[in-house]
Amino acid sequence: MTGRFDSRGQGRHAEASTKAIVFVVEDDISMRRSLTNLFQSVGLEVVAFGSAREMLQSTMPDVTSCLVLDVRLPGLSGLDYQTELARLNIHIPIIFITGHGDIAMTVRAMKGGAVDFLSKPFRDQELLDAVVAATERDRKRRESQRTVANLKSLFETLSPREQAVMKLVATGLMNKQVAAELGLAEITVKIYRGHVMKKMRARSLADLIRMSETLGISANHTEQTQV
């Protein structure tokens, strides 16, 4: 794998597989091979690296994934790599493994969002369970991102006036109240509201409110919308 690690956590080439990938960063060759064999034995796709820098310099496919990361590594340590990934806005779930862990390391890793912190020797099933939890977390995060992206695309198809109506309707205001806020006739608000429901593909008011909450949009009732 060549190229640079994308700072958004997305590969620079088309997604090659829909299967979840387990990335492994482990400098011990025998341990790296053992982990690879373990994950492959249960049908997981594995990409292994000998150092954090090696992974950073690689182009990563944009698929559901997790990272099994050794704490003690040459150069950039596992904990420092976790910090670097966060700085780069790369949100891959991490499972730490170590033969020399302590409470301070565990606390730092978990505060940084790690899924688990396993001390060697650990049971195979313990690690596999952690991988399942990590990939499920990543899958849900990606689904949430896709949902938000789709809603944003729909919201952008609304005219400025329709967006204003949606924001006010989502706060629970009745058509008459929305009309007063925007200086419109109530029948005009009803028309705009119908357009909003159709364009946003909302099946009900409750559905539209959930969409607004997901998008994080709100309306300032004291603001006479200038559109």
Side-chain angles (χ1 to χ4, degrees), residues 99-159:
H100 309 280
D102 56 34
I103 294 176
M105 285 183 179
T106 304
V107 170
R108 178 179 169 184
M110 301 309 288
K111 281 187 175 181
V115 174
D116 212 334
F117 193 101
L118 304 178
S119 296
K120 302 174 185 176
F122 44 77
R123 295 182 297 108
D124 288 352
Q125 191 58 52
E126 189 176 14
L127 178 57
L128 291 174
D129 288 344
V131 166
V132 169
T135 53
E136 179 63 12
R137 177 189 292 187
D138 196 47
R139 183 189 65 77
K140 289 181 178 179
R141 177 186 65 83
R142 288 169 176 275
E143 284 184 355
S144 178
Q145 286 183 332
R146 283 193 294 270
T147 296
V148 172
N150 289 338
L151 288 178
K152 283 183 177 179
S153 295
L154 294 176
F155 185 72
E156 289 170 1
T157 67
L158 303 181
S159 69

Side-chain angles (χ1 to χ4, degrees), residues 161 164-165 168-169 173-190 192-193 224-225:
R161 184 69 81 183
V165 168
L168 290 169
V169 168
L173 295 186
M174 299 176 64
N175 290 341
K176 184 177 181 178
Q177 295 170 306
V178 174
E181 287 282 342
L182 299 179
L184 300 172
E186 185 175 352
I187 185 62
T188 303
V189 170
K190 289 181 179 179
Y192 279 129
R193 182 169 173 169
Q224 290 294 327
T225 309

Side-chain angles (χ1 to χ4, degrees), residues 16-211:
S17 172
T18 56
K19 291 178 62 178
I21 295 179
V22 180
F23 294 105
V24 174
V25 178
E26 166 65 69
D27 63 314
D28 183 276
I29 297 176
S30 62
M31 186 64 179
R32 189 163 70 241
R33 184 179 298 114
S34 176
L35 291 171
T36 299
N37 290 339
L38 171 63
F39 297 137
Q40 289 179 337
S41 72
V42 294
L44 292 169
E45 187 172 345
V46 187
V47 179
F49 304 94
S51 70
R53 292 296 180 193
E54 185 182 342
M55 182 176 176
L56 274 174
Q57 293 169 358
S58 300
T59 301
M60 314 305 294
D62 182 21
V63 296
T64 299
S65 57
C66 71
L67 170 60
V68 175
L69 179 62
D70 194 6
V71 172
R72 297 184 182 274
L73 294 167
L76 191 66
S77 74
L79 290 170
D80 288 339
Y81 186 40
Q82 179 188 38
T83 301
E84 179 67 5
L85 290 175
R87 186 186 70 81
L88 294 172
N89 200 30
I90 298 171
H91 303 289
I92 183 170
I94 299 174
I95 301 161
F96 279 101
I97 56 174
T98 183
H100 309 280
D102 56 34
I103 294 176
M105 285 183 179
T106 304
V107 170
R108 178 179 169 184
M110 301 309 288
K111 281 187 175 181
V115 174
D116 212 334
F117 193 101
L118 304 178
S119 296
K120 302 174 185 176
F122 44 77
R123 295 182 297 108
D124 288 352
Q125 191 58 52
E126 189 176 14
L127 178 57
L128 291 174
D129 288 344
V131 166
V132 169
T135 53
E136 179 63 12
R137 177 189 292 187
D138 196 47
R139 183 189 65 77
K140 289 181 178 179
R141 177 186 65 83
R142 288 169 176 275
E143 284 184 355
S144 178
Q145 286 183 332
R146 283 193 294 270
T147 296
V148 172
N150 289 338
L151 288 178
K152 283 183 177 179
S153 295
L154 294 176
F155 185 72
E156 289 170 1
T157 67
L158 303 181
S159 69
R161 184 69 81 183
E162 289 166 347
Q163 291 181 0
V165 168
M166 175 176 171
K167 291 176 181 179
L168 290 169
V169 168
T171 65
L173 295 186
M174 299 176 64
N175 290 341
K176 184 177 181 178
Q177 295 170 306
V178 174
E181 287 282 342
L182 299 179
L184 300 172
E186 185 175 352
I187 185 62
T188 303
V189 170
K190 289 181 179 179
I191 293 172
Y192 279 129
R193 182 169 173 169
H195 292 169
V196 169
M197 296 292 288
K198 182 177 181 180
K199 290 183 178 180
M200 292 300 298
R201 302 173 188 171
R203 293 166 293 185
S204 65
L205 175 59
D207 202 14
L208 191 67
I209 292 173
R210 283 192 293 270
M211 291 177 177

